[in-house]
Amino acid sequence: MQNNHPIGVFDSGIGGISIWKEIIQLLPFESTIYLADSKHAPYGAKSQEEIIQLSIKNTEALLQLGAKIIVVACNTATTNAIKYLRAHYDVPFIGIEPAIKPAALQSKNKSIGILATKGTLNSSLFSNTSERYTQEIQTIEVIGTGLVPLIEQGHIDGVETKELLVKYLKPMIQAGIDYLVLGCSHYPFLLPILKDILPDNVTIIDSGEAVARQTKAVLLQNGGIIKKKELQPTHQLYSNKNTETLDGIIIRFRESGQISKNTVIRTIYKEF
Ligand code: DGL
């Protein structure tokens, strides 16, 4: 593995930025390339065949840009396409799946909620994991229809977003859940509203940090970590729609101190 090459990350849009942020915090000397396939979002309602084709396209684009490892920062693409990608490309792939296992193991009420896309909830990877860990647990699965397009437009705290969330969380609150699993990488952007709506005893979990740790572990195994601290990493964030929403997120991350002011980040419009 070429250790001075960048880590490649893709998602159906800006959602995977929630994972990318964890990666650059855990691996501060690594350069990254991020592909926001916003032009084809949402992936969640597409067929498995379409999701595989889009994942191939994103993988090819990242490989052309020199990625040494690919993080599929999208639950829908992971649950529907990662098996295919791993079988057809030599580069290591890291995926993201809803964190059902920790939620099921830690739930005291034996009741957990899972908010995800249709594509994720209908996938066999999801049902296998769910069957394995939730035998004695009540699971309330809800499809977050309409949320991804609103987040893609930057309406993270708008009235429409809140109304949808109130509707989707109602059956979960009624069922007495004490864990909510965010099964879509776009949803961590909704954390402030989710916390407003949910009772205080509900813990919200997503898999972003776990994905960053797994990325580091796989790079270490392959001798692919940059060790030279003097190298200044660069981060190129590509969107095939427009860079405005990405720019907005980066500004917010910088203002809140989640990303240092010295981190070099470029947002770029590109066809892919
Ligand atoms: N971020 C994607 C995920 O984690 C969103 C899917 C979509 O585009 O519908 O599933």
Side-chain angles (χ1 to χ4, degrees):
M1 187 182 277
Q2 296 279 331
N3 70 2
N4 59 347
H5 280 214
I7 296 172
V9 183
F10 80 81
D11 178 40
S12 60
I14 59 162
I17 287 289
S18 59
I19 295 157
W20 168 84
K21 176 175 64 87
E22 302 290 341
I23 293 172
I24 67 164
Q25 278 166 355
L26 191 68
L27 296 162
F29 308 118
E30 295 290 324
S31 291
T32 63
I33 309 168
Y34 182 92
L35 294 187
D37 189 16
S38 298
K39 193 167 140 188
H40 301 102
Y43 283 10
K46 296 191 195 300
S47 69
Q48 180 169 26
E49 188 45 41
E50 286 174 294
I51 297 166
I52 290 175
Q53 288 310 323
L54 290 166
S55 301
I56 292 172
K57 167 188 73 66
N58 297 334
T59 297
E60 301 275 346
L62 285 172
L63 291 176
Q64 266 181 19
L65 292 163
K68 63 182 170 186
I69 186 169
I70 294 181
V71 180
V72 183
C74 173
N75 293 259
T76 312
T78 299
T79 50
N80 286 276
I82 203 162
K83 203 170 156 192
Y84 180 96
L85 297 175
R86 285 186 172 138
H88 289 84
Y89 295 93
D90 284 339
V91 69
F93 286 91
I94 310 293
I96 181 165
E97 285 179 65
I100 312 173
K101 183 181 169 186
L105 293 177
Q106 290 164 49
S107 171
K108 290 194 179 66
N109 297 0
K110 302 279 172 229
S111 180
I112 66 171
I114 301 154
L115 188 62
T117 68
K118 186 172 160 205
T120 294
L121 294 175
N122 287 347
S123 68
S124 50
L125 195 58
F126 176 82
S127 23
N128 292 344
T129 314
S130 185
E131 259 169 45
R132 196 146 144 221
Y133 296 108
T134 61
Q135 295 284 347
E136 282 144 43
I137 301 269
Q138 178 188 32
T139 58
I140 316 294
E141 296 171 13
V142 177
I143 298 172
T145 308
L147 292 173
V148 168
L150 285 167
I151 298 166
E152 282 293 313
Q153 288 160 42
H155 300 316
I156 285 163
D157 41 19
V159 178
E160 203 182 329
T161 311
K162 185 159 188 178
E163 278 172 5
L164 281 179
L165 284 175
V166 166
K167 185 167 99 187
Y168 296 154
L169 298 179
K170 196 171 167 195
M172 301 190 189
I173 296 169
Q174 281 170 346
I177 63 157
D178 57 358
Y179 274 84
L180 170 65
V181 178
L182 300 185
C184 170
S185 57
H186 279 73
Y187 299 166
F189 291 114
L190 304 174
L191 271 173
I193 327 187
L194 288 166
K195 283 184 185 155
D196 264 7
I197 301 171
L198 288 167
D200 290 343
N201 70 324
V202 178
T203 306
I204 304 170
I205 49 175
D206 70 79
S207 321
E209 237 185 280
V211 171
R213 283 198 303 272
Q214 179 64 8
T215 306
K216 184 175 181 180
V218 172
L219 283 174
L220 281 170
Q221 274 163 25
N222 289 278
I225 292 261
I226 290 180
K227 296 194 183 72
K228 294 192 190 79
K229 297 188 184 177
E230 66 271 20
L231 286 178
Q232 166 76 295
T234 57
H235 303 287
Q236 320 230 48
L237 313 184
Y238 294 94
S239 168
N240 54 12
K241 200 162 184 190
N242 64 64
T243 57
E244 279 162 34
T245 314
L246 278 175
D247 288 332
I249 291 170
I250 299 306
I251 290 169
R252 226 162 351 112
F253 281 165
R254 287 203 200 277
E255 279 171 0
S256 61
Q258 296 184 73
I259 293 181
S260 126
K261 299 221 168 20
N262 305 326
T263 310
V264 181
I265 302 170
R266 280 178 64 212
T267 61
I268 305 152
Y269 170 80
K270 180 180 162 61
E271 292 273 342
F272 60 88

